[in-house]
């Protein structure tokens, strides 16, 4: 009976996966405001220039992305740059399928965590497939499946994701900090992947441009969707002199101008650094105070990701997809962690849906600074800040918890509460969830 149920459950997941991605594919190719614009315009142009002029971004010229991001873009154009959109969507769906396969065995509250991710993708909409961030997120989700059992593999996958889009580098940092007893494996995994990517890039003559992504966008202004831009978007909507939305043709994005925007943009990086350092300190204090590393890790990961989103001067809608990684991590890290992360997992669904309403739904209305759309943006951005505040508050509570009393552990629960909610933990398997061993 149990075997039959698992078979039915597996078929159901496959059907829902296909339906969700069929909807996302359809929206990506039919929705207004060009949800595949980056693919069909920027990615296609970069590949065409490489093929025709033999000048590859990230190798022969500076680039906004780490060099490994070139691989999926080139792969999507194997059938010709004219068909890059179909090639891209096919690769993204396959990557999501791989991530689903690895997350299949994990449960929270008896429910497979992968169901939440599929609902989250549907809420986020076509942007969930339409940007390079999809590659990094899929790699990072697979890495989460190996955090406990194969930390070197998890580190290698996080690192590969970071060489695609920088943000997963923060997750490598979490492993280094909190995977005591396995730090050498974590560092080795990261160094091997980095060494291979750097070696190939250098052999092709890309050494001078290897780290160009670090400074390529350092002088950009506030993007219209960024939480830091919200007051200035309201100023533009209310007709305040000097406040307006404009298009930056060099960076290919819409930004907001007005008194104070440059100061807000300049504040972004130091504020982000302050939050990251503060999170590190709180995590160390929590662990020293007796909190389980396996529970601290996903909270710290969420704080890092939330900080990279909430105080970033760039507010691209695809960034919202990043939340999935620390949330899935938290949901599979054992019952106390899953119970703690449940409100965040639920709250991220309307956040993702509002993001889809903003882009691609009514992005033209936002650029016209219609007050109703600025209101939608404001609610979405408040939710992003709320996620960051939640992560900070939880880390503070973990740090202040008296030694020997881990936050969120139910009374009378066994030591296996720190075990990831995989098939083994559900059916009485060995405790493999300890990150402090």
């Amino acid at each position: 009976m149990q075997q039959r149920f698992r078979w039915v459950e597996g078929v159901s997941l496959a059907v829902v996966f296909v339906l969700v991605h069929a909807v996302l594919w359809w929206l990506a190719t039919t929705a207004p405001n060009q949800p595949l614009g980056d693919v069909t315009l920027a990615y296609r142009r970069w590949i065409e220039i490489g093929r025709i002029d033999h000048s590859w971004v990230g190798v022969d010229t500076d680039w906004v992305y780490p060099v490994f991001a070139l691989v999926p873009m080139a792969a999507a154009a194997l059938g010709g740059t004219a068909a890059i959109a179909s090639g891209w969507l096919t690769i993204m769906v396959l990557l999501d399928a791989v991530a689903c396969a690895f997350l299949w065995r994990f449960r929270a509250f008896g429910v497979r965590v992968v169901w939440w991710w599929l609902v989250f993708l549907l809420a986020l909409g076509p942007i969930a497939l339409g940007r390079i961030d999809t590659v990094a997120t899929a790699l990072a989700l697979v890495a989460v499946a190996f955090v406990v059992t194969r930390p070197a593999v998890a580190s290698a996958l996080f690192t590969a994701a970071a060489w695609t889009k920088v943000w997963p580098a923060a997750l490598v940092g979490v492993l280094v900090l909190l995977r005591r007893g396995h730090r050498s494996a974590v560092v080795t995994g990261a160094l091997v992947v980095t060494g291979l990517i750097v070696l190939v890039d250098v052999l092709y003559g890309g050494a001078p441009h290897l780290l160009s992504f670090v400074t390529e966008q350092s002088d950009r202004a506030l993007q219209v969707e960024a939480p830091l831009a919200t007051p200035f978007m309201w100023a533009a909507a209310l007709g305040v002199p000097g406040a307006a939305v404009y298009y930056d043709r060099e960076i290919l994005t819409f930004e907001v101008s007005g008194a104070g925007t440059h100061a807000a943009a300049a504040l972004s990086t130091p504020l982000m650094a302050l939050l990251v350092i503060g999170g590190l300190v709180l995590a160390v204090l929590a662990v020293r105070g007796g909190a389980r590393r396996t529970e601290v890790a996903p909270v710290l990961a969420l704080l890092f990701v939330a900080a990279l989103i909430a105080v970033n001067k760039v507010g691209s809608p695809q960034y919202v997809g990043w939340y999935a990684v620390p949330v899935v991590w938290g949901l599979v890290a054992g019952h106390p962690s899953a119970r703690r992360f449940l409100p965040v997992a639920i709250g991220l669904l309307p956040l993702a849906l509002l993001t889809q309403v903003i882009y691609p739904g009514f992005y033209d209305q936002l650029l016209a600074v219609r007050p109703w759309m600025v209101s939608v943006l404001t609610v979405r951005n408040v939710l992003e800040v709320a996620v960051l505040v939640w992560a900070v508050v939880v880390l503070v509570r973990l740090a202040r918890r008296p030694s020997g009393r881990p936050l969120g552990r139910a009374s009378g629960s066994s030591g296996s509460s720190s075990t990831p909610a995989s098939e083994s933990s559900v059916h009485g398997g060995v405790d493999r969830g300890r990150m402090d061993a």
Side-chain angles (χ1 to χ4, degrees):
M1 181 65 70
Q2 185 179 14
Q3 190 67 26
R4 176 185 293 181
F5 176 76
R6 290 184 62 185
W7 182 84
V8 171
E9 195 176 20
V11 172
S12 300
L13 176 66
V15 171
V16 173
F17 177 90
V18 170
L19 290 175
V20 167
H21 283 79
V23 170
L24 294 178
W25 188 306
W26 175 72
L27 289 172
T29 53
T30 62
N33 299 308
Q34 296 183 303
L36 282 179
D38 279 21
V39 176
T40 58
L41 298 176
Y43 301 178
R44 173 188 287 176
R45 186 179 72 252
W46 289 329
I47 300 303
E48 286 177 339
I49 291 174
R51 288 181 172 182
I52 297 170
D53 298 336
H54 303 289
S55 177
W56 294 94
V57 288
V59 179
D60 302 298
T61 61
D62 288 349
W63 198 26
V64 295
Y65 296 129
V67 68
F68 195 60
L70 191 59
V71 174
M73 295 178 190
L78 288 176
T81 54
I84 193 171
S86 297
W88 180 265
L89 289 172
T90 299
I91 292 173
M92 298 307 105
V93 172
L94 290 175
L95 283 173
D96 279 359
V98 171
C100 276
F102 278 96
L103 294 178
W104 166 253
R105 67 189 179 92
F106 294 99
R107 297 177 183 268
F109 309 105
V111 179
R112 295 190 188 275
V113 173
V114 72
W115 289 114
W116 174 85
W117 185 49
L118 290 175
V119 175
F120 177 74
L121 288 177
L122 191 61
L124 185 55
I127 199 66
L129 298 181
R131 296 294 187 272
I132 190 64
D133 302 69
T134 306
V135 179
T137 300
L139 289 172
L141 283 171
V142 175
V144 168
F146 290 100
V147 163
V148 171
T149 57
R150 298 288 187 273
V153 174
S155 177
L157 288 167
F158 281 145
T159 303
W163 277 104
T164 306
K165 196 70 186 279
V166 179
W167 69 270
L171 307 181
V172 180
V174 173
L175 289 184
V176 172
L177 180 67
L178 296 176
R179 203 61 173 97
R180 191 182 71 181
H182 298 273
R183 289 194 179 109
S184 60
V186 170
V187 172
T188 299
L191 289 179
V192 167
V193 171
T194 297
L196 289 173
I197 293 174
V198 171
L199 177 61
V200 172
D201 189 55
V202 170
L203 289 176
Y204 278 91
H209 310 286
L210 181 65
L211 300 177
S212 58
F213 63 90
V214 176
T215 58
E216 189 67 10
Q217 300 189 62
S218 60
D219 58 348
R220 68 183 299 169
L222 286 177
Q223 189 172 325
V224 293
E225 301 102 312
L228 290 174
T230 305
F232 307 104
M233 289 295 290
W234 275 111
L238 297 175
V240 175
V245 171
Y246 68 96
Y247 186 65
D248 189 319
R249 296 188 177 278
E250 183 177 349
I251 303 177
L252 307 178
T253 190
F254 288 94
E255 299 176 339
V256 62
S257 63
T261 53
H262 292 296
L267 180 65
S268 171
T269 300
L271 183 56
M272 197 180 299
L274 181 64
L275 286 167
V276 168
I277 294 172
L280 289 171
V281 171
L282 288 172
V284 171
L285 290 176
V287 170
R288 288 183 176 178
R292 293 184 182 275
R293 294 168 187 265
T294 189
E295 295 185 41
V296 174
V299 180
L300 180 60
L302 181 60
L303 186 149
F304 284 167
V305 169
L308 291 173
I309 295 173
V311 299
N312 203 323
K313 56 186 174 182
V314 182
S316 299
Q318 63 267 24
Y319 288 10
V320 172
W322 303 357
Y323 286 121
V325 179
V327 168
V328 167
W329 191 345
L331 290 175
V332 305
H335 184 71
S337 178
R339 189 171 64 246
R340 184 180 302 123
F341 268 83
L342 183 61
V344 181
I346 294 172
L348 281 175
L349 299 180
L351 190 157
L353 186 58
L354 288 174
T355 301
Q356 183 177 177
V357 170
I358 295 166
Y359 185 87
F362 297 92
Y363 197 60
D364 53 340
Q365 297 293 298
L366 180 65
L367 298 181
V369 288
R370 305 298 186 201
W372 77 273
M373 267 309 298
V374 178
S375 298
V376 172
L377 176 68
T378 301
V379 174
R380 196 284 304 268
N381 288 347
V382 167
L383 289 174
E384 290 184 344
V385 173
V387 174
L388 173 61
V389 171
W390 179 92
V392 172
V393 169
V394 170
L395 273 183
V396 169
R397 289 179 175 177
L398 285 167
R400 296 177 62 183
R401 173 71 46 167
S403 180
R405 293 179 56 195
L407 181 65
R409 185 174 179 179
S411 60
S413 62
S414 68
S416 62
S417 63
S418 63
T419 308
S422 63
E423 296 283 9
S424 60
S425 63
V426 169
H427 300 296
V430 179
D431 184 353
R432 297 183 299 162
R434 292 292 297 273
M435 293 184 68
D436 49 358

